[in-house]
Amino acid sequence: TVSKEVIISGGAINSPQILMVSGIDPKQHLEQLSIPVVQDLPVGEIFYDQQTVPGLMFSTNISANKPDMKQYIRDYLGGLGSLTTTAGISGIGPTEAAGTFFLDWLEMTEENWEALSRPLLRKYMWAVFPVLLEPKSKGTVKLETKDPLDYPVLDSNLYSDHDDLKRMLAAIKDIFKISETSAFQKIDLKYVSDPLPACKDYEHLSFDYWTCALKQLTYPIVEGVATCRMGPKDDKAAVVDNKLKVYGIDGMRVVDASIIPFSFAHPVPTVYMVGEKAADLIREEYGDL
């Protein structure tokens, strides 16, 4: 028995899973899994997932034997250390550890990794991971089984909206322009990777080549939103209202990234604010607990 309410806060993947195995989901999906329907709501029907493209790696002429290499990097590239780089990564290269990173975590095929990394062996390199922060492509989160311990099925459905593909191609074009600036040409920055096996029929580094390469390399970051989307009652895609309460269910709120209606930036700062707002709403309703 719940005296006040239940707060679901499992994130954009686990919160919809919890609701679905509890019978809150589109009726057809629940009936396929023999889960009793408690409330027919579009849980997991929308999943906006951000994406990145690993593999944009450039060689430099910095020598491993250069005694003032660190000063060289400070002079031309602006600094060293975890606070000067994204995600605290100050260095990674085509080593055995990096190969494991690309093959396992980024789910890259061995053939693609070989094509990208072979020309970079024993060289210093500079890499860029462009991230599409405002995807328009809609994926889904579904149940594989009704067992809550089984992983749900994620379908990021990347590039189903062609505008996402066009914007990522534009980002790659900008990256190459950055590589051609005087600061980077002072260290002879060059893109030297071999063509990907699946894209060899296209002129290397042409528009058609990158269109093919993006479909080979793009990786879903799984920092999604909107699986328990917030919206007004007449919004057929909404799962919770503006007080984060699940429609049709008494005493239940969802408080995490899943309620964010659309993707517009990295979700973490927004999630902090969702939590703060939820705390205010609960205090207003129940007083200080």
Side-chain angles (χ1 to χ4, degrees):
T1 302
V2 176
S3 60
K4 288 185 172 61
E5 63 182 53
V6 173
I7 296 176
I8 306 296
S9 190
I13 296 169
N14 291 120
S15 282
Q17 181 188 21
I18 292 169
L19 294 181
M20 287 186 282
V21 298
S22 302
I24 304 170
D25 200 35
K27 180 179 179 181
Q28 183 179 4
H29 184 219
L30 294 174
E31 289 178 343
Q32 289 173 349
L33 296 170
S34 301
I35 297 175
V37 179
V38 176
Q39 185 70 16
D40 188 350
L41 287 173
V43 177
E45 293 291 287
I46 297 177
F47 179 46
Y48 290 115
D49 193 8
Q50 295 173 2
Q51 60 217 58
T52 188
V53 181
L56 287 162
M57 301 183 292
F58 297 75
S59 72
T60 81
N61 67 3
I62 296 176
S63 169
N65 298 319
K66 192 175 183 66
D68 58 344
M69 181 184 67
K70 289 186 177 181
Q71 188 60 46
Y72 198 69
I73 294 175
R74 288 191 183 96
D75 289 344
Y76 293 124
L77 304 185
L80 291 166
S82 59
L83 296 181
T84 66
T85 59
T86 301
I89 299 173
S90 57
I92 188 169
T95 62
E96 182 178 349
T100 301
F101 170 82
F102 278 87
L103 292 173
D104 295 343
W105 189 54
L106 297 179
E107 299 178 0
M108 188 180 292
T109 66
E110 289 190 21
E111 293 80 8
N112 285 342
W113 170 243
E114 282 293 315
L116 294 172
S117 66
R118 190 184 301 111
L120 291 163
L121 289 174
R122 299 180 182 86
K123 295 180 180 179
Y124 279 90
M125 53 169 280
W126 175 76
V128 184
F129 285 60
V131 178
L132 191 65
L133 295 177
E134 301 178 18
K136 296 181 180 179
S137 300
K138 295 179 183 179
T140 58
V141 175
K142 299 288 186 181
L143 293 178
E144 177 74 22
T145 74
K146 60 182 178 181
D147 187 339
L149 298 181
D150 286 342
Y151 293 120
V153 178
L154 310 184
D155 179 9
S156 296
N157 204 23
L158 303 182
Y159 300 135
S160 56
D161 188 303
H162 190 67
D163 191 52
D164 288 350
L165 182 65
K166 290 195 299 183
R167 288 190 295 146
M168 192 62 91
L169 286 166
I172 289 174
K173 186 176 180 179
D174 287 342
I175 289 166
F176 275 87
K177 285 183 179 178
I178 292 170
S179 76
E180 295 165 0
T181 60
S182 59
F184 284 109
Q185 285 308 300
K186 285 179 180 177
I187 55 172
D188 195 25
L189 204 70
K190 293 180 180 178
Y191 187 82
V192 295
S193 294
D194 293 334
L196 301 180
C199 306
K200 285 184 175 179
D201 291 341
Y202 303 103
E203 179 186 351
H204 191 37
L205 307 186
S206 66
F207 177 87
D208 290 336
Y209 173 82
W210 280 114
T211 301
C212 171
L214 284 182
K215 296 175 183 179
Q216 290 287 310
L217 299 175
T218 300
Y219 175 77
I221 301 177
V222 195
E223 291 178 347
V225 298
T227 49
C228 300
R229 178 176 170 145
M230 180 177 66
K233 196 169 185 177
D234 59 356
D235 180 355
K236 294 182 180 180
V239 175
V240 303
D241 63 18
N242 63 352
K243 293 188 176 180
L244 310 183
K245 293 186 175 183
V246 178
Y247 282 113
I249 303 292
D250 292 332
M252 180 178 288
R253 293 185 215 243
V254 180
V255 184
D256 55 40
S258 68
I259 67 94
I260 301 172
F262 48 84
S263 181
F264 56 89
H266 195 292
V268 168
T270 309
V271 172
Y272 290 155
M273 297 310 299
V274 169
E276 293 291 342
K277 182 62 177 179
D280 291 342
L281 292 170
I282 292 168
R283 289 191 190 97
E284 289 174 7
E285 188 162 344
Y286 301 108
D288 291 331
L289 300 178

